[in-house]
Amino acid sequence: MGQASWPVWTLGKLMTQLARKIREGDTRALSRLATGVENRDPQALETLRELAPATGHARIVGITGPPGAGKSTLVDALALELRKQGKTIAILAVDPTSRISGGAILGDRIRMQQHHADPGIFIRSMATRGTLGGLARATADLARLMDAAGRDYVIIETVGVGQDEIEIASVAQVTVVVLVPGMGDDVQAIKAGIMEIADIFVVNKSDHPGADRVELELHTEGFNCPILHTVATEGKGIPELAAALDSIPTGGAGASACQPAPDQSTDHHTSIDSIGAATGYPLGPEGWQAEAPAPPVCPPSIDHLGIAVHDLAASIAFYQSLGLAVTHRETVLTEKVDVAMLPAGDSRIELLAPTAPDSPIARFLEKRGPGLHHIALRVPDLNAAVSRLQASGARLLNEPRTGAGGHTYVFVHPASTGGVLLELIQENTK
Ligand code: CO
């Protein structure tokens, strides 16, 4: 009876049948394919490709935050609220640490399955499989699968706030960071990484003392995205959270709704600078573009490579020894960065050194050390490029802006580009 003895052509037919069943809402078929996708089974991945045209409907929500923030309870309450509204949900509970912790999240999910035997809520727990990069990829694939299966919401829940969770959460169109009162130093630890991907903050357990202080701290930091208060165990604030999920534009400009508000800055930061500060990347190359050689208009080409360095003079000397010459030097006050431009063929090397410890470049150096900081691509039509990126769900860090040289530019989050900050530039078309 084994399928293995069937001729090859029937296998193809079977997979098509599986895809059809999933489209029809068969949860057992969905579960089977999910396992195949998690195991990187080639036939399962082929079926996933087959289902690709059916994707694009679901709202993909990431929920993350430190252990003890009550995320599971919050997710359960949110799922029930969305069910009340007639929506279907898939929950992907991802635990990159399960190898160590023994997968407590699984126990939670078994509990929930028992409490709510509802085919409208599909729950999948994912533990560590191979590399963490692999886990993020598997999460993205499963999210697409749930989308293709017609789920209205795909909720990706991760257990911590480490780099792995950030990578996984970046699969989401809307990311909710759950905090709780009385976290003390934990808040500082979270700030180091997760803030840059947050679209909504939830202060859960907000009936506990200190909830207002958490909110105040977020405001002080300059984050101006929605901050909601919930008591998940009582369902308080959950309908508001459900509504907020729909209010965040997906994947578009301002991909993080939590960009610090410029008018709350106590110094002379521009809003561009503040985005840079939040991400550790400087933005806004106003000024130094003025002396750029006029590039050919199309197709897209590399305008420059931005390299973060500790010692500008030493780096310049190195590139000069290779025959490159500095054509432009500038100190960008708002970014607290010294810039040197060295043309190399049709593109340029942009050396960036901090002038102050709170420069975005200083933060970058501190976090990652010297090295490639961003890649800038010249595109013939920035608005067209932005539209395409938005359609594909890429995370843009700003609306297209015009620099002092008349060029327009936009930054794309590393989460969308393969891990490097990407600057898109359209030259002045006068
Ligand atoms: Co640049």
Side-chain angles (χ1 to χ4, degrees):
M1 302 282 285
Q3 296 181 3
S5 62
W6 294 4
V8 171
W9 64 267
T10 48
L11 254 186
K13 214 169 194 176
L14 273 176
M15 297 320 280
T16 303
Q17 203 176 34
L18 185 57
R20 206 192 60 229
K21 278 186 176 174
I22 285 165
R23 295 288 303 278
E24 288 167 358
D26 183 329
T27 51
R28 284 177 65 186
L30 180 58
S31 201
R32 194 146 59 102
L33 186 56
T35 302
V37 168
E38 268 196 273
N39 292 335
R40 312 310 293 169
D41 175 87
Q43 282 166 358
L45 296 175
E46 180 55 37
T47 306
L48 184 61
R49 275 190 288 277
E50 208 178 311
L51 285 163
T55 60
H57 157 80
R59 178 146 286 229
I60 299 175
V61 178
I63 296 193
T64 191
K71 294 182 298 296
S72 292
T73 312
L74 187 78
V75 168
D76 293 2
L78 179 62
L80 292 175
E81 171 62 28
L82 292 169
R83 283 302 287 148
K84 263 196 249 167
Q85 301 174 10
K87 309 291 188 188
T88 56
I89 298 109
I91 299 171
L92 303 178
V94 190
D95 186 354
T97 64
S98 59
R99 197 173 29 190
I100 303 155
S101 72
I105 209 167
L106 285 165
D108 287 350
R109 291 307 150 191
I110 289 162
R111 171 183 55 78
M112 190 175 168
Q113 291 279 37
Q114 286 168 343
H115 281 224
H116 318 286
D118 172 3
I121 303 179
F122 183 93
I123 303 171
R124 187 87 192 175
S125 290
M126 299 172 68
T128 303
R129 277 170 205 275
T131 65
L132 289 161
L135 187 62
R137 185 178 57 180
T139 307
D141 283 346
L142 283 195
R144 272 194 289 278
L145 172 58
M146 301 303 152
D147 185 359
R151 298 282 149 168
D152 298 311
Y153 289 84
V154 179
I155 301 174
I156 302 168
E157 176 196 331
T158 62
V159 291
V161 291
Q163 189 55 45
D164 315 316
E165 285 82 359
I166 291 172
E167 211 176 296
I168 292 160
S170 69
V171 170
Q173 297 163 331
V174 178
T175 300
V176 179
V177 174
V178 185
L179 305 171
V180 280
M183 289 172 51
D185 289 347
D186 289 351
V187 173
Q188 298 302 326
I190 293 161
K191 272 181 198 148
I194 203 81
M195 297 311 205
E196 63 199 58
I197 62 166
D199 296 300
I200 297 170
F201 286 107
V202 164
V203 183
N204 192 30
K205 305 184 183 178
S206 65
D207 52 342
H208 292 208
D212 290 339
R213 200 179 317 148
V214 176
E215 176 164 0
L216 181 67
E217 204 172 332
L218 291 171
H219 283 307
T220 307
E221 288 287 316
F223 291 97
N224 63 346
C225 62
I227 301 171
L228 304 176
H229 289 243
T230 59
V231 183
T233 50
E234 297 170 17
K236 280 186 189 161
I238 302 301
E240 290 80 3
L241 174 58
L245 294 180
D246 291 336
S247 73
I248 303 291
T250 53
S256 169
C258 298
Q259 288 160 8
D263 55 349
Q264 291 185 1
S265 297
T266 50
D267 54 18
H268 45 263
H269 282 187
T270 64
S271 58
I272 300 166
D273 185 32
S274 303
I275 298 167
T279 59
Y281 294 106
L283 303 178
E286 296 95 332
W288 69 68
Q289 214 66 23
E291 294 182 22
V297 180
C298 63
S301 56
I302 293 176
D303 184 88
H304 63 266
L305 305 176
I307 301 173
V309 301
H310 286 293
D311 183 342
L312 195 60
S315 300
I316 287 172
F318 169 80
Y319 286 101
Q320 282 175 336
S321 74
L322 285 172
L324 303 187
V326 176
T327 56
H328 186 70
R329 280 290 298 268
E330 178 173 350
T331 299
V332 183
L333 292 174
T334 55
E335 306 286 345
K336 297 174 184 165
V337 62
D338 272 337
V339 182
M341 278 292 192
L342 300 90
D346 282 342
S347 64
R348 296 172 289 168
I349 286 177
E350 178 187 75
L351 299 175
L352 305 156
T355 60
D358 59 340
S359 153
I361 287 292
R363 288 194 196 96
F364 180 90
L365 289 169
E366 201 177 299
K367 265 192 190 171
R368 300 162 194 243
L372 185 63
H373 176 270
H374 67 275
I375 292 177
L377 279 183
R378 262 192 311 273
V379 296
D381 185 341
L382 188 71
N383 287 330
V386 164
S387 301
R388 282 195 297 273
L389 288 175
Q390 285 175 338
S392 69
R395 294 179 70 90
L396 304 187
L397 285 169
N398 61 296
E399 298 278 358
R401 294 201 170 102
T402 302
H407 67 289
T408 48
Y409 63 92
V410 74
F411 279 86
V412 187
H413 195 281
S416 299
T417 66
V420 68
L421 180 67
L422 180 68
E423 180 182 2
L424 296 179
I425 293 177
Q426 182 186 355
E427 286 302 326
N428 190 346
T429 50
K430 64 173 179 264

